[in-house]
Amino acid sequence: MSLIAFFGGIEAGLIYALVALGVLISFRILDFPDLTADGSFPLGAVVFAVCIGMGINPWLACLAGAAAGACAGMVTAWLHVSFKILPLLASILVMVALYSVNLRITGGTPNLPLIDAPSVFSPFLAANFSNQYWIQPLIIVLFVIAAKLLLDWFFNTKTGLAMRATGINARMAKAQGVGTSKMIVLGMAISNALIALGGALFAQTTGSADLASGIGTIVIGLAAVIIGENLFSSKRIFVITLAAILGALVYRLLIAFALGNGFLQSLGVRPTDLNLITAVLVVIALRLPAVKRRLKRNSAS
């Protein structure tokens, strides 16, 4: 794997670390199976692109994309808590609806080019873009660190602890006076805001806001969370969020290695096999805990 490919893997891993943190909140903290991610990821990208087209500052455009994602998450939660629609079905409905919403935002085109458009990286890039391969990951890591620290702080506040209690046992939390419906809405808003922010950053690194960029987002986020949990098993929120970030980095580096490995290429592995490789990695990650338990039993006997 070349140095450029390595930094590319780090860059993509950091972007999907934001997605992993969002998926962590919905799937692990709230125990809410949420497929909205496949729609909120490109939603953040297209909102950013439209804002840039209107001359809005890139940093504010990123916040606008995150806010749009938060609204999408709130709609999913609202369908569940108000109309009692199953969480999975509610998220599927919003994900499907978001495709049309995203098309309406873009004016009917599935791709908005951002070549030569201002981005959060623009002030730090050299004129010939010679430092692009390391400047972009450096700036993205600041987003990830800020998101992690804010989540670590939030989940140790009274509201954050109430949200965690809602995910562990909603009935018991409600009996203790916790507004579980509000916690679900708030948690889903934060989750999809992070995912949409990842989409906005992804659009800037690729030079376009593409509606197809959201395909498989939830699988990537789950893969990162599961890999991270297998690397670091802990109940401390600081370690849990760190594990999700590291899981995203490991996942993207494994993908970069698989796609750039000469031996695997000789076996017929191509960039078009990305989703297949992702599925294989998720299956392996899901089976690792069982394999570990089996090895422990064998060694004990």
Side-chain angles (χ1 to χ4, degrees), residues 64-191:
C71 291
M74 290 173 68
V75 171
T76 299
W78 176 70
L79 289 175
H80 169 62
V81 300
S82 297
F83 297 126
K84 307 304 178 186
I85 299 175
L86 293 174
L88 186 61
L89 180 56
S91 66
I92 291 174
L93 290 172
V94 175
M95 177 189 69
V96 172
L98 280 176
Y99 185 81
S100 296
V101 172
N102 291 338
L103 273 176
R104 184 171 287 273
I105 292 173
T106 62
T109 177
N111 186 292
L112 290 177
L114 291 170
I115 302 298
D116 297 328
S119 69
V120 295
F121 313 116
S122 298
F124 310 99
L125 293 175
N128 60 355
F129 299 99
S130 58
N131 61 345
Q132 183 179 23
Y133 71 97
W134 64 269
I135 279 291
Q136 291 186 176
L138 183 61
I139 294 173
I140 296 171
V141 78
L142 297 178
F143 279 92
V144 175
I145 291 173
K148 177 190 165 28
L149 293 178
L150 285 172
L151 288 179
D152 291 344
W153 167 79
F154 172 74
F155 282 118
N156 283 293
T157 63
K158 184 177 179 180
T159 303
L161 291 171
M163 187 178 296
R164 293 165 68 180
T166 299
I168 294 171
N169 191 325
R171 187 172 297 178
M172 181 63 71
K174 193 170 186 178
Q176 296 298 321
V178 174
T180 54
S181 296
K182 292 181 180 179
M183 291 299 103
I184 293 173
V185 173
L186 177 60
M188 290 295 291
I190 297 173
S191 169

Side-chain angles (χ1 to χ4, degrees), residues 205-224:
T205 59
T206 58
S208 68
D210 195 332
L211 297 191
S213 64
I215 298 175
T217 300
I218 188 62
V219 177
I220 296 172
L222 275 174

Side-chain angles (χ1 to χ4, degrees), residues 1 5 251-266 268-278:
M1 181 167 44
Y251 164 77
R252 287 305 307 186
L253 287 174
L254 287 174
I255 290 292
F257 173 78
L259 295 179
N261 185 268
F263 174 72
L264 293 177
Q265 287 179 353
S266 67
V269 176
R270 298 290 181 267
T272 52
D273 297 323
L274 177 61
N275 287 341
L276 175 61
I277 296 172
T278 298

